[in-house]
Amino acid sequence: VRCCVNRVYKLSSCKVAAVVRKWCDKKDLSKSRSQDNQKHQRKIREKKREMEKWRIDCQGSINHLQHVKQRKLHRENAIEAAKLQAVAAEDELTLGVPIIPMIDLGGDLSRLVEDEANAEANITKATTALEQANRKMTVLTKLSNDRKATQHKEDMLTNSFRYWVAMIRCNVLAPDTLEMAEKSRPKPDLNCTKPSQLLSETMTHALDITSELGISSFPDIAVVRDAFQCMGWANLAFEILMKKPAIDELRCLRDLSNFVSLPEVKSVNMIKSMITRTSVWRAKAKKALAPVPNETKPFDMEVLKELGLGVTSIPVATPEEVILGNVLADEGARHCICGGPRDEVCMKCCSSCSKWYHPVCINTAMIPEAAPGETEWKCQSCKDGAIPTSLKSKAAKQAIWPFIGSFRDNISPHAPLPNKMWPPFGLSNSPEAHNNLGIALSFRLEHMVKPTPRSPEDIAESVKKMMSGRAKASSLAAVPSSSIAPSTPKSDELAPDASRLSNEGRSKPEANQSLPTTPSFLASHFPSFCSGGANPIADSNALIMHQTNGTLKNPASLDVIHSKEIRNPPVKTVIDQPDI
């Protein structure tokens, strides 16, 4: 557990050092922003690949649905033609037996219905996923614009950030003297109820001054705040774990971890495991050591020895551990009117019956004082011959579990000491400080002047101009020169007839140039796609009419068109709107 807590402490310290280096060196600032931009662009590329995948799936499902619809229509027309031919043949026969000619019906009807349902389900799935991907892409685009606006604001407040990180470096991370280091070290206690109480006064002042500098709302401030809270939690854990911790102290660490953004949760999981194992052992020990009023039979030594072996795997101090040791030393003997074990508090021994009594179980006001000159003391039972009923009922409700303190004073030689772990990178002249902070050590707070922050109105106006300039530049870059290439239509519908005519001379048109699946095309041909109501497949009949350019007159023409489209599908040039 100590190693995991030490890792939390080191990771949190390195987070603060990274923010300090970022604002003290332009190279580190550029590198940090480049890494953030690469992560964001990676998400955008992944989302684009996902959108392209769903476009291809939707296009294939629509083409398959068209084929199934055409086969069903061919089957229906073929059946009607067969009926007409059978009626005509019946008039010519003398026997009156109808003759139905052999006509290809285009496949089994149940199979066609199943294929149609599968295609409709695939189109619905693809269009839903495409809508979700479009929404996520919109969110990513908005995040990209917000990040650029935030970076522009940070550039306008560079002096404020440098003054702030210089304060953190000089007062917290690598102070010049031991007195400054001890003043900035967090010293939380078990009475902490909120994360802000884990910080020292120096840390709190460094976070409060961000409001005066006008930088309190930026992401780096939140990163440093969370790291400071983790460092305070780690210092409290060092204080507790350098000795054998009590169960209540571990519970305090566990509860505080719920309000702190720890860089890893392995240490908390191990603490929770210790609490669980200790609670199970304590329940067994309490049951075995439970007092029984007026009981003279000793405790079960076999059960107690088994508990003694189990306590070695519990690295937590518990009151039951001390009481178990006392009972084992007394060979299971019971004491007092409560019939409980011996504890570490002061007990009185009767000179007549040699029994020991807990002052809590017997009313001390009713215990007779020894006469002057007498050193012996007799219990009320030996003196009066009977135990009062009130004492019996009172003793039946008492259970003695004393507080442990004396045996927890030994500090483990392997435990990291909090005062030796602070400051995080040593003093300013230490090699560790030079390795982790670098050029930031040259920033001296006493040589800097506290900057005056710019007004929020000026910053907002500057950001507005910057964003409008970027929008104008992107729009100019999107318009190609007329001498190089013709202008690309803004709509992602089908291309005009002129572009189709250019493909008529091809002997073998490309098979993948079929029906587009862009949102605007689906919206124009499937009204339910825009309304978000029924399935867009409800308008697939209109789509078939769009492919066949009208209705079919007779089965013969249907066979001709159907066979032509299978051998040589129509070519349609699709120009999609470029992705953002």
Side-chain angles (χ1 to χ4, degrees):
V1 180
R2 298 189 188 109
C3 295
C4 295
V5 173
N6 191 18
R7 191 179 300 112
V8 169
Y9 178 73
K10 291 296 184 183
L11 291 175
S12 302
S13 303
C14 291
K15 281 186 178 181
V16 182
V19 175
V20 172
R21 292 194 308 268
K22 171 182 175 180
W23 290 107
C24 291
D25 191 354
K26 292 183 178 180
K27 293 182 179 179
D28 287 335
L29 178 61
S30 176
K31 181 179 179 181
S32 176
R33 290 181 174 178
S34 176
Q35 291 175 352
D36 294 341
N37 183 63
Q38 290 175 2
K39 292 180 181 179
H40 189 76
Q41 292 300 324
R42 191 179 302 115
K43 294 180 181 179
I44 292 179
R45 289 193 297 270
E46 292 176 357
K47 193 56 60 178
K48 285 184 177 181
R49 287 193 293 268
E50 181 182 355
M51 293 175 65
E52 183 63 23
K53 172 183 174 298
W54 288 116
R55 284 196 185 101
I56 295 174
D57 292 347
C58 186
Q59 178 177 345
S61 300
I62 290 178
N63 292 337
H64 181 63
L65 180 62
Q66 295 172 11
H67 180 65
V68 173
K69 292 276 189 180
Q70 291 171 356
R71 291 177 62 186
K72 286 184 64 178
L73 189 60
H74 166 67
R75 178 187 175 86
E76 294 174 358
N77 292 335
I79 292 175
E80 293 295 333
K83 290 180 179 180
L84 295 177
Q85 294 179 11
V87 172
E90 184 178 0
D91 296 337
E92 298 175 359
L93 292 178
T94 58
L95 299 178
V97 179
I99 300 177
I100 302 178
M102 301 298 295
I103 299 177
D104 183 15
L105 300 180
D108 187 16
L109 181 61
S110 60
R111 180 65 179 274
L112 293 177
V113 172
E114 182 180 357
D115 291 345
E116 182 180 6
N118 293 335
E120 292 175 355
N122 293 335
I123 292 177
T124 302
K125 179 181 177 181
T127 51
T128 303
L130 190 60
E131 288 178 349
Q132 294 178 354
N134 281 327
R135 288 194 294 266
K136 292 180 180 179
M137 180 63 73
T138 303
V139 173
L140 290 176
T141 304
K142 183 177 182 301
L143 289 177
S144 178
N145 295 332
D146 294 343
R147 185 168 50 84
K148 292 173 183 177
T150 301
Q151 292 178 0
H152 182 72
K153 294 178 183 179
E154 290 176 347
D155 293 338
M156 299 178 64
L157 299 170
T158 301
N159 293 333
S160 299
F161 275 102
R162 287 182 177 175
Y163 180 84
W164 178 64
V165 297
M167 177 184 297
I168 293 177
R169 199 285 301 168
C170 297
N171 296 336
V172 180
L173 294 184
D176 296 334
T177 62
L178 292 175
E179 290 77 10
M180 296 177 62
E182 184 63 23
K183 182 180 179 181
S184 63
R185 182 170 72 90
K187 304 178 183 65
D189 53 21
L190 297 177
N191 297 323
C192 295
T193 57
K194 50 186 179 180
S196 59
Q197 296 177 351
L198 296 171
L199 309 181
S200 63
E201 294 183 359
T202 305
M203 292 178 171
T204 304
H205 175 68
L207 295 175
D208 293 341
I209 203 173
T210 57
S211 299
E212 301 178 11
L213 297 175
I215 57 176
S216 59
S217 61
F218 287 91
D220 287 339
I221 312 302
V223 170
V224 173
R225 182 185 295 107
D226 293 341
F228 279 173
Q229 292 174 359
C230 293
M231 294 163 67
W233 181 87
N235 273 269
L236 178 60
F238 289 147
E239 290 280 356
I240 293 174
L241 298 175
M242 69 180 180
K243 304 176 184 179
K244 195 173 184 179
I247 186 70
D248 293 335
E249 294 174 339
L250 294 181
R251 287 171 178 166
C252 178
L253 282 178
R254 179 198 61 188
D255 296 341
L256 285 174
S257 65
N258 297 328
F259 305 99
V260 179
S261 301
L262 298 177
E264 64 175 21
V265 296
K266 185 177 180 180
S267 57
V268 179
N269 292 336
M270 296 181 70
I271 290 174
K272 292 179 180 179
S273 176
M274 292 170 60
I275 294 174
T276 302
R277 289 187 286 123
T278 304
S279 300
V280 173
W281 185 88
R282 288 187 69 189
K284 295 179 180 179
K286 283 186 176 183
K287 182 178 180 180
L289 299 173
V292 180
N294 300 325
E295 179 64 49
T296 58
K297 184 180 179 180
F299 292 99
D300 190 349
M301 291 299 294
E302 296 297 330
V303 176
L304 298 183
K305 288 179 181 179
E306 185 179 353
L307 289 173
L309 295 176
V311 76
T312 56
S313 62
I314 305 297
V316 181
T318 60
E320 294 80 8
E321 181 181 355
V322 177
I323 297 175
L324 178 62
N326 294 337
V327 175
L328 291 175
D330 295 342
E331 297 181 354
R334 295 179 182 270
H335 300 280
C336 189
I337 61 174
C338 67
R342 175 171 57 91
D343 57 26
E344 294 298 318
V345 299
C346 179
M347 298 182 69
K348 290 191 176 186
C349 180
C350 178
S351 59
S352 177
C353 62
S354 300
K355 290 184 178 180
W356 292 86
Y357 294 89
H358 302 120
V360 180
C361 295
I362 301 176
N363 191 350
T364 55
M366 299 179 63
I367 297 179
E369 295 292 339
E374 296 181 1
T375 57
E376 297 180 353
W377 174 84
K378 292 183 179 181
C379 64
Q380 191 174 3
S381 178
C382 295
K383 184 176 180 180
D384 300 340
I387 300 177
T389 306
S390 60
L391 294 182
K392 291 183 180 179
S393 60
K394 179 180 179 181
K397 298 179 181 178
Q398 296 293 331
I400 311 303
W401 306 109
F403 179 77
I404 301 173
S406 59
F407 71 98
R408 295 184 58 244
D409 293 337
N410 297 328
I411 298 177
S412 173
H414 306 289
L417 302 179
N419 56 346
K420 300 296 183 181
M421 298 290 295
W422 194 267
F425 303 110
L427 299 180
S428 59
N429 56 358
S430 63
E432 186 178 4
H434 284 273
N435 294 334
N436 289 276
L437 298 176
I439 195 175
L441 294 174
S442 61
F443 285 76
R444 312 288 300 183
L445 190 62
E446 57 271 15
H447 298 160
M448 302 178 68
V449 179
K450 183 178 179 180
T452 302
R454 299 183 62 175
S455 63
E457 292 77 10
D458 295 343
I459 297 177
E461 184 66 23
S462 178
V463 171
K464 185 178 180 181
K465 292 181 179 179
M466 184 269 298
M467 297 303 292
S468 61
R470 292 180 61 88
K472 184 177 180 181
S474 60
S475 62
L476 291 177
V479 179
S481 175
S482 59
S483 60
I484 298 176
S487 60
T488 303
K490 295 183 179 179
S491 174
D492 54 357
E493 300 285 346
L494 294 175
D497 295 337
S499 61
R500 301 179 186 177
L501 296 176
S502 62
N503 295 324
E504 292 181 354
R506 296 183 183 181
S507 59
K508 294 182 179 181
E510 298 181 5
N512 59 355
Q513 291 181 348
S514 57
L515 190 66
T517 59
T518 53
S520 60
F521 179 84
L522 295 176
S524 61
H525 293 83
F526 299 116
S528 57
F529 184 83
C530 294
S531 61
N535 196 312
I537 313 305
D539 298 319
S540 56
N541 291 328
L543 186 61
I544 294 176
M545 296 306 174
H546 173 78
Q547 286 290 94
T548 56
N549 295 323
T551 58
L552 299 177
K553 298 296 177 110
N554 50 61
S557 62
L558 179 64
D559 291 335
V560 173
I561 295 177
H562 183 63
S563 59
K564 284 184 178 180
E565 290 192 357
I566 293 178
R567 293 192 303 269
N568 189 11
V571 178
K572 296 184 184 297
T573 303
V574 181
I575 302 179
D576 291 341
Q577 184 178 357
D579 294 330
I580 299 177

